[in-house]
């Protein structure tokens, strides 16, 4: 079964051909980073225009690389949301037209389920993740711990109350005068920095306060939620002190990058391990752009190895950041339960919620 998958939710124009939900025949990602980096972030209008220019060449390249033709494709899959509406419209309308003209069934997906299912790419049989599982999804727009008892069954058991982990990496990079996207640059600066140079706060929401209208705490509840805004502010305070004394040297930038990175990763690992213990799972998955972070992978692997009979999976780096192959992997599961969209009616939803449809 060949699935042609399209993903245009943010600033990557991606088209892939995926066979049986796991075998990637082609994965084209036309990046717009050069267009957006001078603005320090993604400009929605610029992204939408670039998608229009890039989508047909990416489509042709994906079919060529997969050595196939549209007539040999069985299903069309596309990200319906969430994301930038102008960007989503380009992908969704392209997918609708291809599905209609070629009389192919159309599947629409949530972007985050794509990130989760990147963990099934290039795996089969016994090598696939086993349920029940939790997935730490750490990306530019989300930081969630998702509990899944079976395929397509999503329960968000932990989430960020403010910034996502990816946003924190991007904003700290900006404070340090580094390029966008910040994640890969922070981690490369961190390699030569001293992670003990600064001790940034590890915000712990284990007992999340429930406050009354006057702001007083009424009770506290068990929580697996995250918060990165305090960490971000703590970094900003150090940067301002160093700037005021003209001492924000390359070495200091590396030290701050290393100290920030280990702090953010500590927070992510701590809650994930708590969730793994509380939910009696067989597998921990890591997904989203920040899953490309080497230190996060190593820290999670070390912590999970201390749990009994829990496997750990993360996608290949090229499938951590946005790509269409992951959408093809998730689409396969929706095809198996006959969950299709009407190509005459499908519209993108920039605020789409991750819900289970069965
Ligand atoms: N090696 C890395 N270390 C840390 N962060 C990284 C690394 N590589 C990429 N990132 C971060 O990943 C994020 C991009 O991930 P992704 O493409 O999944 O986000 P998005 O699609 O914009 O958001 P979402 O998936 O939530 O809609 C950016 O914030 C980037 O800085
Ligand atoms: Mg993404």
């Amino acid at each position: 079964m060949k699935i042609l998958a399209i993903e245009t939710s943010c600033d990557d124009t991606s088209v892939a051909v995926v066979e049986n939900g796991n075998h990637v025949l082609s994965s084209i990602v036309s990046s717009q980073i050069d267009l957006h980096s001078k603005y320090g972030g993604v400009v929605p209008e610029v992204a939408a225009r670039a998608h229009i220019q890039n989508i047909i060449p990416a489509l042709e390249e994906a079919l060529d690389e997969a050595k196939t033709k549209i007539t040999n494709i069985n299903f069309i899959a596309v990200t319906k949301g969430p994301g930038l509406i102008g960007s989503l419209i380009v992908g969704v309308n392209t997918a609708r037209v291809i599905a209609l003209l070629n009389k192919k069934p159309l599947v629409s997906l949530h972007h985050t389920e794509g990130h989760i299912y990147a963990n099934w790419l290039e795996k089969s049989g016994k090598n696939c993740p086993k349920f029940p599982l939790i997935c730490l999804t750490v990306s530019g727009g989300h930081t969630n711990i998702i509990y899944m008892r079976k395929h397509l069954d999503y329960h968000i058991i932990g989430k960020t109350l403010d910034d996502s982990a990816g946003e924190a990496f991007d904003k700290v990079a900006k404070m340090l005068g580094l390029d966008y996207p910040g994640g890969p640059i922070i981690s490369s600066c961190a390699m030569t920095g001293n992670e003990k140079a600064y001790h940034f706060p590890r915000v712990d929401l284990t007992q999340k306060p429930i406050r009354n209208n006057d702001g007083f705490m009424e009770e506290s509840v068990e929580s697996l939620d995250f918060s990165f805004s305090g960490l971000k502010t703590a970094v900003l305070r150090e940067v301002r002190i160093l700037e005021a004394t003209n001492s924000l040297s390359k070495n200091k930038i590396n030290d701050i990058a290393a100290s920030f990175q280990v702090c953010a990763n500590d927070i992510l690992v701590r809650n994930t391990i708590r969730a793994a213990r509380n939910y009696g799972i067989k597998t921990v998955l890591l997904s989203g752009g920040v899953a490309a972070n080497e230190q996060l992978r190593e820290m999670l692997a070390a912590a999970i190895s201390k749990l009994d009979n829990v496997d750990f999976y993360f996608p290949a780096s090229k499938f951590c950041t946005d790509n269409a192959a992951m959408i093809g992997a998730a689409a396969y599961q929706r095809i198996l339960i006959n969950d299709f969209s009407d190509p005459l009616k499908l519209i993108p939803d920039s605020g789409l919620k991750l819900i289970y449809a069965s």
Side-chain angles (χ1 to χ4, degrees), residues 209-219:
I210 305 283
R211 296 183 190 280
N212 65 19
N213 290 340
D214 300 321
F216 292 110
M217 195 171 93
E218 287 195 325
E219 58 175 311

Side-chain angles (χ1 to χ4, degrees), residues 10 111 115 139-142 166 169-170 181-184 187 289-290 292-293 321-322:
C10 191
H111 180 76
H115 278 304
S139 56
H142 297 86
F169 271 91
D170 293 337
S187 59
V290 184
N293 189 278
T321 43
D322 290 353

